[in-house]
Amino acid sequence: MNFLFPSFLWGLLAVAVPVAVHLFNFRRTRKIFFSNVELLRTVDIQTSSFRHLKHLLIMASRILLIVCLVMAFAQPFIPAKNESGFSINGVTSLYLDNSFSMQNEQENVRYLDVAINRLNEVLGLLKNAGHIQLLTNGFTGEEQSFQAPDKIRDRLTMVEMSSVSRTMEQVLRRQRKALEEENPRSPKQLFWVSDFQKSTTGDLSVINPDSTEKLFIVPVQAQTAKNLYVDSVWLNTPFLRELQNNILHVRIRNSGEETVQNQVIKLYIGGTQISSASLNIEGNGSQTAAFNFSVKGQGMQRGQITFDDFPVTFDNDYYFVLNASPKIRILHLFEEQASDGYIANVFGNDSIFQVSRFSVRNLDQGLLKEADLIVAEGIERPSGSVGATLQAFMKEGGSILVIPPGKPDVAEYNTWLGAEGIQFSASGTNTGLLALKTPDRKIPFFSDVFEASVQHENQTDMPSVVPVWRWNKAGVPLLFTRDEIPYFSRFSAGRGNLFLLAAPLKSEFGNFAQHALFVPVMYKIAALSVKASKLAYSFEDRAVELTVENGGNTQVFKLRRENVEMIPVQRLAGNKLTLEMPGEDQLAADQTLQPGYYDLLSDGKPEQTIALNYGKAESDLQFYTPEELRKQWAGNKHIQVFDTIEDTGFLRGFEKQYMGEALWKYFLYAALFFLLMEIALIRWMK
């Protein structure tokens, strides 16, 4: 048996006081004379014997009372059998997972609150263990310091949910650094209180404490029947026009085991509910809802997907931004002189198109970076630096429409586009006019070109053309002649698109440019050429890439949302802006990253709006069980995995196994017993 406070054993000297009182009778006696002393002598003998026994019992009870009180204050305990366990003289670090997954509930109590209550009880055991570190997902500067247990308890009352997730490797690295700085020679005890979410804990195989460390794993064995979150949001077409029908697709995922019936999903645009859908989503499954909507006005439109789902509510809202009717920048390249002006006319009739025209001989290649669509018309030999520049433009996400000259150099084009798997050959000289077949409206390109009432091919008057070249059937053929010769095809080139026409637009090569089909085809090419900007970003996307207007090297961009204004680390290359999103530990004390809409400011003026949401990793509520954790670290004597923090036996088991069996409470009970015994002897033993 050992003592936490052996100095209190000096209090055992106090037993001399009741002994001295009972050995020496300090009361003065009076002599009383009686006439018949024979009877009194007999009574006196009986009373003295009884009183002597009573006094001895009272003295014993007082001595034992003092002994038990002294022992209780000295706090005796039976040492733990596990010699590699907890050391009261070691340095201790407590990690509390306060990520959003700890919002999960059991019996209407959040797991974070359960964990805080248990840590308070652990701190009660460690009240004499010196200074302790409390670490949460914030990794703030204050959490690097070691404090007294009472201070740690005060800080526990202020712990809130955090949008930041940490892998166990990051936590271990942070704790090791702090423990080494505090006392590198002392034994190190590390506590991890977490739900051990599979999507955020990282690679557990790299966790391997050394001989100076003892790691205590305290799992919050969370079980979630269901949790819904937005997996992805995308538009049916990247080009969004006002007052036209648009389709927004929303995929909702259920990370729980329970099937969700008739879940209502709502779409808001500009703060007004536009549409809703009802979904049935099986456990660990997903469903996609399609919302038809239209927008009024041009520019940035703020959208939101929302639904009701408990108890995990942080991911019930998803924010995004739509860019309605953006400017489409078209660069028209030609050999020497443009054709009959069809390209200029078709795109000049709509204000959303911004057209620039240059001869390929006088091309400023810097203009290519700012274009969405390049129309290469009548270029006979796309070789050298021009061909390489156009190739790089497509690989970076740009689109090119190639309209051949009357006599294209097939060998030059094979050299230029052979890397994309396209091979050209010259058409026969006597092909004559060939009528085009009615396009297949099942192809997405033509899904909204024709009226729904047109049912048959012969109901549509199609143009006639004279092809000047042919190509293999790589890519997606969109228009054919009636002889099955490809006239218009689409190819994927890098991240961009390549559109090919088989004939020039001049009247001697057909009437396609004069036909009603020409305008919607050109508009659809332009719409598909718009580089699809992301509707929303995540706080997990540390790098956010944006396209800005008139970017200057001296500009400083800011992000602002309500009262939060920050200057992220940024890089500007041309009109491409890259922002590195700050972590919570890089913000001011009164700032937090909340999901919603953030204005990008340039010189104090709004440049554009972006939407930021929480990452999806925290929404995937799949957890490691204690059995899986034990299997992961089987044979590692420096890691102890407890069953679950909800079990009240955790605290008792930890105290008994690693701190020993505390006996002070038994001595306190004994002291109370001897006090009551003394009272009973004095009052009733007469």
Side-chain angles (χ1 to χ4, degrees), residues 33-69:
F33 297 95
F34 293 91
S35 58
N36 189 347
V37 297
E38 184 67 25
L39 178 60
L40 292 176
R41 187 179 294 113
T42 303
V43 173
D44 183 64
I45 292 173
Q46 294 176 353
T47 303
S48 296
S49 176
F50 182 79
R51 288 182 60 196
H52 184 65
L53 175 61
K54 178 180 179 180
H55 289 175
L56 287 177
L57 292 175
I58 292 175
M59 180 181 67
S61 63
R62 288 175 177 174
I63 292 174
L64 293 174
L65 170 62
I66 294 174
V67 170
C68 290
L69 283 176

Side-chain angles (χ1 to χ4, degrees), residues 24 48 59 80 82-83 129 142 151 177 195 218 233 255 341 377 394 397 431 442 448 457 467 479 486 542 587:
F24 304 98
S48 296
M59 180 181 67
N82 190 345
E83 296 181 356
E142 182 185 10
K151 290 286 187 180
K177 180 180 178 181
D195 54 9
V218 188
V233 173
S255 66
E377 183 178 10
M394 288 189 292
T431 56
K442 295 180 181 179
D448 52 358
E457 288 188 13
L479 286 175
R542 289 304 182 188
L587 299 175

Side-chain angles (χ1 to χ4, degrees), residues 196 255 266 294 386 443:
F196 292 94
S255 66
K266 300 177 182 178
S294 61
V386 174
I443 299 176

Side-chain angles (χ1 to χ4, degrees), residues 138 164 166 539 542 566 580-588 593:
V164 179
R166 302 290 184 183
F539 291 122
R542 289 304 182 188
M566 52 189 172
E580 295 183 10
M581 299 304 299
E584 279 195 352
D585 52 344
Q586 298 173 304
L587 299 175
L593 290 176

Side-chain angles (χ1 to χ4, degrees), residues 102-119:
M102 295 286 283
Q103 197 178 57
N104 196 13
E105 294 181 356
Q106 184 179 45
E107 297 179 355
N108 297 324
V109 180
R110 296 187 310 174
Y111 279 111
L112 179 63
D113 297 329
V114 173
I116 289 175
N117 292 335
R118 289 291 181 265
L119 280 181

Side-chain angles (χ1 to χ4, degrees), residues 310-505:
F310 297 96
V312 180
T313 60
F314 77 92
D315 51 6
N316 287 2
D317 295 286
Y318 187 88
Y319 303 90
F320 60 93
V321 174
L322 302 172
N323 190 6
S325 298
K327 288 287 185 181
I328 301 179
R329 295 165 294 188
I330 299 174
L331 181 61
H332 183 198
L333 300 180
F334 51 89
E335 184 72 32
E336 290 184 355
Q337 293 182 355
S339 62
D340 297 340
Y342 296 115
I343 295 298
N345 292 335
V346 72
F347 292 122
N349 291 328
D350 200 318
S351 60
I352 67 170
F353 300 115
Q354 181 178 324
V355 184
S356 302
R357 302 174 65 247
F358 292 93
S359 170
V360 73
R361 301 178 184 273
N362 302 316
L363 174 62
D364 180 3
Q365 297 186 9
L367 297 174
L368 298 180
K369 298 180 180 180
E370 300 180 1
D372 297 307
L373 171 64
I374 295 177
V375 179
E377 183 178 10
I379 301 175
E380 294 183 1
R381 295 179 178 86
S383 59
S385 61
V386 174
T389 303
L390 294 176
Q391 194 82 13
F393 174 76
M394 288 189 292
K395 290 187 180 301
E396 293 177 0
S399 296
I400 297 179
L401 169 62
V402 176
I403 303 173
K407 294 181 179 181
D409 190 328
V410 173
E412 287 281 347
Y413 275 93
N414 284 335
T415 301
W416 178 39
L417 297 176
E420 307 300 334
I422 305 173
Q423 292 295 318
F424 296 93
S425 61
S427 293
T429 57
N430 298 318
T431 56
L433 286 173
L434 300 176
L436 296 181
K437 293 177 60 176
T438 303
D440 185 359
R441 285 176 295 158
K442 295 180 181 179
I443 299 176
F445 187 93
F446 292 107
S447 60
D448 52 358
V449 170
F450 297 98
E451 294 289 341
S453 59
V454 179
Q455 300 292 333
H456 303 289
E457 288 188 13
N458 56 11
Q459 292 179 291
T460 305
D461 179 28
M462 296 298 293
S464 298
V465 296
V466 180
V468 298
W469 62 3
R470 299 183 182 185
W471 53 82
N472 55 354
K473 292 186 178 181
V476 180
L478 301 174
L479 286 175
F480 289 93
T481 66
R482 295 189 186 275
D483 296 335
E484 299 297 329
I485 299 174
Y487 174 74
F488 175 47
S489 294
R490 176 184 179 182
F491 301 83
S492 295
R495 293 186 298 166
N497 295 300
L498 174 65
F499 298 92
L500 291 179
L501 284 178
L505 297 180

